[in-house]
Amino acid sequence: IKLDKPQIMPNEIGWNIYLPAESKDFKKLVKKISKALEKFIDQKAPRAFLSTKWEQSNKFYGHISVKGGDKKDDYENLLAKIEKEKFGFDFPKNIICDTVTVANLQNDKWEKVKTYKLQR
Protein backbone atom coordinates (compact mmCIF):
# COMPACT_ATOMS: atom_id res chain seq x y z
CA ILE A 1 0.00 0.00 0.00
CA LYS A 2 1.33 3.42 -0.90
CA LEU A 3 0.70 6.20 1.63
CA ASP A 4 0.77 9.83 0.55
CA LYS A 5 1.09 13.03 2.58
CA PRO A 6 -1.77 14.17 4.86
CA GLN A 7 -4.89 15.63 3.22
CA ILE A 8 -8.25 17.03 4.38
CA MET A 9 -11.60 15.54 3.40
CA PRO A 10 -14.56 17.71 4.47
CA ASN A 11 -17.78 15.73 5.02
CA GLU A 12 -21.38 16.24 6.17
CA ILE A 13 -20.54 16.41 9.87
CA GLY A 14 -17.06 17.91 9.79
CA TRP A 15 -13.74 16.78 8.39
CA ASN A 16 -11.10 14.05 8.37
CA ILE A 17 -7.35 14.55 8.07
CA TYR A 18 -6.01 11.36 6.54
CA LEU A 19 -3.17 9.67 4.71
CA PRO A 20 -4.35 8.41 1.31
CA ALA A 21 -3.76 4.66 0.93
CA GLU A 22 -3.64 3.20 -2.56
CA SER A 23 -2.64 -0.04 -4.20
CA LYS A 24 -3.60 -1.77 -7.42
CA ASP A 25 -6.36 -3.94 -5.93
CA PHE A 26 -7.05 -2.17 -2.62
CA LYS A 27 -10.55 -0.89 -3.48
CA LYS A 28 -11.53 -4.30 -4.87
CA LEU A 29 -10.36 -6.01 -1.68
CA VAL A 30 -12.22 -3.57 0.58
CA LYS A 31 -15.41 -3.99 -1.46
CA LYS A 32 -15.13 -7.80 -1.30
CA ILE A 33 -14.57 -7.82 2.47
CA SER A 34 -17.35 -5.27 2.99
CA LYS A 35 -19.87 -7.39 1.07
CA ALA A 36 -18.85 -10.53 3.00
CA LEU A 37 -19.35 -8.78 6.35
CA GLU A 38 -22.83 -7.40 5.57
CA LYS A 39 -24.53 -10.62 6.70
CA PHE A 40 -23.22 -10.01 10.24
CA ILE A 41 -24.59 -6.46 10.56
CA ASP A 42 -27.45 -5.84 12.98
CA GLN A 43 -30.05 -4.43 10.59
CA LYS A 44 -31.85 -2.67 13.45
CA ALA A 45 -28.74 -0.76 14.53
CA PRO A 46 -28.68 2.97 13.77
CA ARG A 47 -26.65 3.66 10.63
CA ALA A 48 -26.30 -0.11 10.16
CA PHE A 49 -25.14 -0.14 6.54
CA LEU A 50 -23.62 3.35 6.38
CA SER A 51 -20.01 2.12 6.20
CA THR A 52 -20.60 -0.80 3.85
CA LYS A 53 -22.58 1.32 1.39
CA TRP A 54 -19.71 3.82 1.32
CA GLU A 55 -17.02 1.12 1.07
CA GLN A 56 -18.80 -0.41 -1.92
CA SER A 57 -19.40 2.90 -3.68
CA ASN A 58 -17.27 4.88 -6.12
CA LYS A 59 -16.90 7.56 -3.43
CA PHE A 60 -14.77 5.27 -1.24
CA TYR A 61 -11.18 6.39 -0.72
CA GLY A 62 -8.65 4.17 1.00
CA HIS A 63 -7.05 6.00 3.90
CA ILE A 64 -5.56 5.99 7.37
CA SER A 65 -7.29 8.56 9.56
CA VAL A 66 -5.01 10.94 11.45
CA LYS A 67 -7.63 13.17 13.10
CA GLY A 68 -11.30 14.00 12.60
CA GLY A 69 -13.49 16.74 13.96
CA ASP A 70 -16.53 18.91 13.47
CA LYS A 71 -16.98 22.02 11.38
CA LYS A 72 -16.20 24.45 14.23
CA ASP A 73 -12.58 23.20 14.48
CA ASP A 74 -9.85 24.92 12.48
CA TYR A 75 -8.69 21.93 10.45
CA GLU A 76 -6.50 23.92 8.04
CA ASN A 77 -4.33 25.16 10.93
CA LEU A 78 -4.16 21.61 12.32
CA LEU A 79 -3.13 20.22 8.92
CA ALA A 80 -0.35 22.82 8.71
CA LYS A 81 0.94 21.65 12.11
CA ILE A 82 0.78 18.00 11.05
CA GLU A 83 2.68 18.74 7.82
CA LYS A 84 5.52 20.27 9.90
CA GLU A 85 5.92 17.06 11.93
CA LYS A 86 8.99 14.95 11.30
CA PHE A 87 7.58 11.46 10.81
CA GLY A 88 10.96 9.94 10.05
CA PHE A 89 10.11 9.18 6.43
CA ASP A 90 9.17 11.02 3.27
CA PHE A 91 5.93 10.64 1.35
CA PRO A 92 4.96 8.69 -0.62
CA LYS A 93 5.78 5.73 1.61
CA ASN A 94 5.14 2.09 0.71
CA ILE A 95 4.03 -0.24 3.52
CA ILE A 96 3.04 -3.89 3.66
CA CYS A 97 -0.34 -4.60 5.24
CA ASP A 98 -0.40 -8.07 6.76
CA THR A 99 -3.59 -7.91 8.86
CA VAL A 100 -7.17 -6.69 8.58
CA THR A 101 -9.09 -5.69 11.71
CA VAL A 102 -12.88 -5.89 11.81
CA ALA A 103 -14.36 -3.19 14.06
CA ASN A 104 -17.81 -2.21 15.28
CA LEU A 105 -18.91 1.42 15.65
CA GLN A 106 -20.34 1.85 19.16
CA ASN A 107 -21.29 5.29 20.48
CA ASP A 108 -19.29 6.96 17.69
CA LYS A 109 -16.13 5.01 18.59
CA TRP A 110 -14.65 2.01 16.81
CA GLU A 111 -14.28 -1.15 18.89
CA LYS A 112 -12.13 -4.03 17.66
CA VAL A 113 -14.02 -7.26 16.93
CA LYS A 114 -11.25 -9.43 15.48
CA THR A 115 -7.98 -9.16 13.55
CA TYR A 116 -7.23 -11.48 10.62
CA LYS A 117 -3.80 -12.24 9.17
CA LEU A 118 -3.63 -11.84 5.39
CA GLN A 119 -2.01 -14.43 3.17
CA ARG A 120 0.72 -13.37 0.77
Side-chain angles (χ1 to χ4, degrees):
I1 296 175
K2 182 178 105 177
L3 297 178
D4 263 321
K5 64 182 183 170
Q7 296 182 24
I8 298 172
M9 176 62 75
N11 57 44
E12 308 82 45
I13 59 172
W15 49 270
N16 182 25
I17 295 176
Y18 68 99
L19 301 175
E22 292 294 331
S23 74
K24 184 180 175 194
D25 296 319
F26 187 65
K27 286 185 179 184
K28 289 180 194 174
L29 178 61
V30 169
K31 189 174 187 174
K32 185 176 179 180
I33 292 170
S34 179
K35 281 186 177 187
L37 291 174
E38 279 188 334
K39 61 185 171 188
F40 300 106
I41 295 174
D42 178 0
Q43 296 183 16
K44 297 175 187 160
R47 306 181 326 191
F49 292 93
L50 194 62
S51 288
T52 56
K53 284 182 182 175
W54 177 63
E55 291 161 353
Q56 295 171 34
S57 76
N58 291 331
K59 294 180 181 180
F60 173 75
Y61 59 96
H63 69 286
I64 296 174
S65 291
V66 176
K67 172 79 174 144
D70 59 31
K71 294 187 184 283
K72 68 181 179 218
D73 294 324
D74 180 6
Y75 54 81
E76 289 179 358
N77 189 35
L78 181 58
L79 178 62
K81 288 180 183 178
I82 290 170
E83 288 175 332
K84 289 181 184 176
E85 286 292 321
K86 302 294 181 211
F87 290 105
F89 55 84
D90 293 322
F91 292 106
K93 179 69 174 176
N94 291 321
I95 63 168
I96 296 172
C97 179
D98 59 0
T99 61
V100 171
T101 299
V102 178
N104 185 21
L105 188 63
Q106 292 289 337
N107 301 318
D108 291 328
K109 293 194 179 192
W110 289 104
E111 293 180 1
K112 176 181 169 180
V113 174
K114 189 169 182 177
T115 297
Y116 297 91
K117 183 144 181 72
L118 298 175
Q119 296 178 3
R120 290 191 193 192

